[in-house]
Structures are given as structure tokens and as C-alpha cells.
Amino acid sequence: MSDAPETPPILLLNGPNLNMLGVRQPEVYGADTLEDVVESTRRTAAEFGLTVRALQTNHEGEMIDAVHAARGEIGGIVINPGGWTHTSVALADALVVPEVPVVEVHISNVHAREPFRQHSYISPIAAGVIVGCGTAGYEFAVRRIAALMGL
């Protein structure tokens, strides 16, 4: 048994409609399911000795409560806030509460889509933003969080 402190997990958050990955607009979001995303995120995190706590919710308050509850328990947050990206000041405010690095992920290139998708309330508080890389963006985000954690 080691006396070294355990490395805190990464919190993987997916917002509204991301439970429909693989079904909803595969021409935009691809064929990977949310389960595929969580599995690949866990696999990438394991390369750094990290674990992942995953949550997907269509309820903004539930997401905010999960962020608040994670304070002092996590090392970083990977978040695809979905539609809340463009609408939720409350979620942006909550994401500073844990005082850990946040990396924002978007599967599609939001800057090449409708104008309303080009503004993010999350980006100004994020340590990184990964856009338009498909579901591989989640893996890139884990690697960035690990680097920010000094791993």
C-alpha cells in the first residue's frame, strides 16, 4: 500500500440531448454513442492513472448540483454543455466553484454553424476549448486536463 495521495478523478459532464449521441443528427455528431464517449474517455484517463466520474443530464439544476458537489473531490472537469453553452450564465458561474481546470468540448464546429452557437458562456472560464474534432475531442480534453494536473 502506497502512502502517496490518490489522484482525484476527472468529472465528465454532458448536457442536454447528448444522451442521444449516435441517434440524433449523425451527419453532425457522428455515430458514437454517449456510452462510447464515456468508455473512450475512461480509457484515455487511465493512461494517466486517472479515473472518470461521468454524468449526462437534461436538467440544468442537476448539472449545477453535481458541479457544486464535486468541489474538493475532483482534479478537473471535461464538459460538453450542449445547448447550455449559449444560454447558461448559471452553469458558467457554477463551473468556477470547484476551482479546478475546465476544458469545454464540442463535437461539431460550432463556429461553422448557426450564429447563436458561436457564443459560449463557458469559454471565458475554461482552460481550453476543443471544437469540431468529433468525439475524439473528449480524449484531447482528458490529455489537456492531465497536463494541467501535472501528470
Side-chain angles (χ1 to χ4, degrees), residues 129-141:
V129 180
I130 300 170
V131 174
C133 296
T135 57
Y138 289 90
E139 297 169 34
F140 302 151

Side-chain angles (χ1 to χ4, degrees), residues 18-148:
L18 288 158
N19 57 307
M20 299 306 294
L21 283 177
V23 174
R24 175 182 174 231
Q25 295 177 285
E27 69 281 3
V28 174
Y29 300 107
D32 289 342
T33 65
L34 182 60
E35 184 177 296
D36 295 333
V37 167
V38 171
E39 185 178 310
S40 69
T41 302
R42 286 190 167 131
R43 215 174 19 253
T44 304
E47 294 175 24
F48 300 93
L50 293 167
T51 59
V52 174
R53 289 187 198 166
L55 170 70
Q56 184 284 321
T57 182
N58 295 316
H59 304 282
E60 188 176 13
E62 182 179 2
M63 176 79 69
I64 291 169
D65 288 345
V67 171
H68 291 173
R71 182 178 170 84
E73 297 184 4
I74 58 166
I77 297 172
V78 172
I79 184 170
N80 183 338
W84 294 326
T85 303
H86 326 291
T87 63
S88 185
V89 173
L91 180 57
D93 287 347
L95 286 167
V96 300
V97 170
E99 298 178 340
V100 296
V102 174
V103 176
E104 178 182 358
V105 175
H106 296 284
I107 296 167
S108 68
N109 180 355
V110 293
H111 303 291
R113 296 182 64 193
E114 304 92 336
F116 77 88
R117 294 186 193 276
Q118 296 171 17
H119 172 74
S120 170
Y121 284 105
I122 309 303
S123 294
I125 59 94
V129 180
I130 300 170
V131 174
C133 296
T135 57
Y138 289 90
E139 297 169 34
F140 302 151
V142 168
R143 293 182 188 288
R144 182 63 185 139
I145 290 286
L148 291 167

